Amino acid sequence: MTCTSPKLPANAECRCVLADGRVLTITASRRPRANRADVKCAVSGAPALSERMQEVVRLARHTEHRFDSRDQVVLSMDLAPSAGERGWELAAVLADRMVRGAWQPACPLVYADGWSDNWHCGSVSGQAEASVHLQALISASPVPALAVLGAASAPGAEAAQSIPGSLTLSHLGALTGHTDPSASVSSARAWFPLHSGGINDSLNWVEVSVHPVEQGGADEEDTIAVPGLGLTAQLAIRQALAGARHFDGRGLGRWRTVVRFGQPRFQGASHELALVMADRLARGREFVPRGRIIASGCSSAWHAGRVDTVEGREAKMELILKQAVQGDRVLLPRDWQNDIPPAYASALRARGASLACIERIGMI
């Protein structure tokens, strides 16, 4: 169901039938980027929906082997879905791919219904009921139409979705006849102490997922998505990872990356060492520990691999000791080493964990 024409459209549309029967149209337009954001989404009067659509599209791009940031894609909805409706997510992903030529359907009219909690892995979910509504629209359409549906897990869903004029997806790779892209996604987590002096103190995880891409010479920071964080925090995450990969020597220009946090509400930069270690684990640059990597540290020179100290040493060490378990590997700044009592390392060993105070990454 693909077209071989190399000419890319300036605009593309994908439709979605909402629960109340209305037909939502998502329009994607392509224009020179000119130092603007790679994806811009606009839904009148619904900034949260616009932000979610931008996040969905960026995460779904994570599974594409090519990275080309020369164009900006602008997506819009002609009407807003009800709160909680998510079937439009697949329509946004398809519209974005159509306007960039990443997917070229044979039919001029495309309907879609599907969503995902893991767009960065390419998985797609759906509901069997959607096929009934879309089949009626396809049958009545004066032009050839195609329905693209996320795979449903309800009994009998496969039979319900195996209808003429439809394509059922469990993963985005099926659009182009490829294998599940999640097989090429490597993910790893590391933990860092989230300390605020209250009962909610805990170890927070940071997860880095990487997908290999062809060499494109793009800005490394453009290839890193950080959903759920503000723009300032996103920029700091991108700069830290780009710097640490520069220290690798061969770490740049090879990956599309998604960074997620278990608890996105935190302040400071003490998460950076855990972030960098999760990235190195995901890219195969570190040995995998028996348990978790728990780290606290930052750097003003990740490009040199340097690990700097952070504030809150005593409180963070106490929190780590309380929550460390068998197999955990604790990494702290080298500047802390002289202030850590021998009894602390012994207490960690008694819990089956190990401790290292480091001044550089790659030398652990």
Side-chain angles (χ1 to χ4, degrees):
M1 294 185 178
T2 58
C3 173
T4 58
S5 173
K7 185 177 181 180
L8 298 182
N11 302 282
E13 292 183 350
C14 191
R15 293 168 172 78
C16 176
V17 181
L18 302 178
D20 58 10
R22 295 179 299 164
V23 178
L24 177 154
T25 300
I26 295 182
T27 302
S29 303
R30 184 172 48 82
R31 63 182 181 180
R33 186 171 177 183
N35 294 321
R36 294 181 288 240
D38 54 345
V39 179
K40 179 180 179 181
C41 300
V43 183
S44 179
L49 183 59
S50 300
E51 183 177 345
R52 174 57 184 168
M53 181 161 57
Q54 183 185 55
E55 179 180 299
V56 164
V57 169
R58 281 180 168 163
L59 292 180
R61 287 184 178 187
H62 177 74
T63 57
E64 297 179 9
H65 290 284
R66 291 180 177 272
F67 180 83
D68 188 344
S69 60
R70 291 175 295 179
D71 290 336
Q72 181 190 59
V73 173
V74 182
L75 294 107
S76 62
M77 293 180 175
D78 62 344
L79 52 91
S82 301
E85 284 200 63
R86 298 183 61 189
W88 58 266
E89 291 184 8
L90 181 57
V93 171
L94 295 184
D96 173 63
R97 295 198 170 196
M98 289 160 64
V99 80
R100 293 183 294 112
W103 180 60
Q104 298 174 334
C107 300
L109 184 59
V110 179
Y111 291 89
D113 190 281
W115 65 89
S116 178
D117 292 324
N118 296 289
W119 279 117
H120 65 287
C121 291
S123 61
V124 188
S125 302
Q127 55 183 358
E129 294 81 358
S131 62
V132 178
H133 301 294
L134 292 178
Q135 178 62 14
L137 286 171
I138 290 174
S139 300
S141 175
V143 298
L146 170 67
V148 183
L149 304 165
S153 57
E158 183 176 350
Q161 291 181 317
S162 298
I163 57 177
S166 73
L167 175 63
T168 303
L169 306 176
S170 60
H171 58 83
L172 291 175
L175 282 171
T176 48
H178 294 155
T179 57
D180 188 342
S182 66
S184 299
V185 177
S186 174
S187 298
R189 287 183 179 181
W191 281 255
F192 61 95
L194 197 61
H195 169 70
S196 61
I199 61 174
N200 294 321
D201 289 358
S202 63
L203 294 181
N204 191 15
W205 57 258
V206 54
E207 179 185 81
V208 176
S209 300
V210 296
H211 185 278
V213 295
E214 298 177 8
Q215 295 284 351
D219 187 337
E220 187 74 9
E221 294 182 21
D222 284 343
T223 67
I224 301 171
V226 194
L229 270 62
L231 294 179
T232 301
Q234 290 185 37
L235 179 60
I237 295 292
R238 294 187 179 111
Q239 290 176 339
L241 283 188
R245 290 177 180 179
H246 175 82
F247 177 71
D248 276 353
R250 294 181 297 174
L252 299 175
R254 301 178 60 188
W255 314 95
R256 297 203 68 162
T257 306
V258 172
V259 179
R260 301 192 302 172
F261 289 86
Q263 170 53 262
R265 294 182 180 179
F266 58 87
Q267 295 179 340
S270 62
H271 64 279
E272 287 185 359
L273 181 56
L275 165 73
V276 168
M277 293 304 299
D279 179 58
R280 291 176 64 83
L281 284 170
R283 294 186 294 113
R285 298 291 292 171
E286 291 289 342
F287 291 107
V288 179
R290 289 182 296 126
R292 303 169 295 181
I293 282 185
I294 303 173
S296 184
C298 65
S299 180
S300 58
W302 280 120
H303 65 280
R306 192 180 72 209
V307 178
D308 297 334
T309 187
V310 291
E311 297 179 352
R313 181 185 69 244
E314 294 182 0
K316 290 175 180 176
M317 287 175 52
E318 181 181 355
L319 177 59
I320 290 172
L321 181 59
K322 287 181 179 179
Q323 301 207 14
V325 297
Q326 181 78 28
D328 286 348
R329 178 71 162 156
V330 179
L331 303 178
L332 300 175
R334 183 64 174 270
D335 290 345
W336 290 12
Q337 183 167 309
N338 294 334
D339 297 314
I340 297 178
Y344 184 81
S346 299
L348 280 176
R349 285 195 297 269
R351 300 179 70 92
S354 62
L355 170 67
C357 294
I358 62 174
E359 60 182 350
R360 293 188 185 277
I361 57 174
M363 302 175 63
I364 301 169

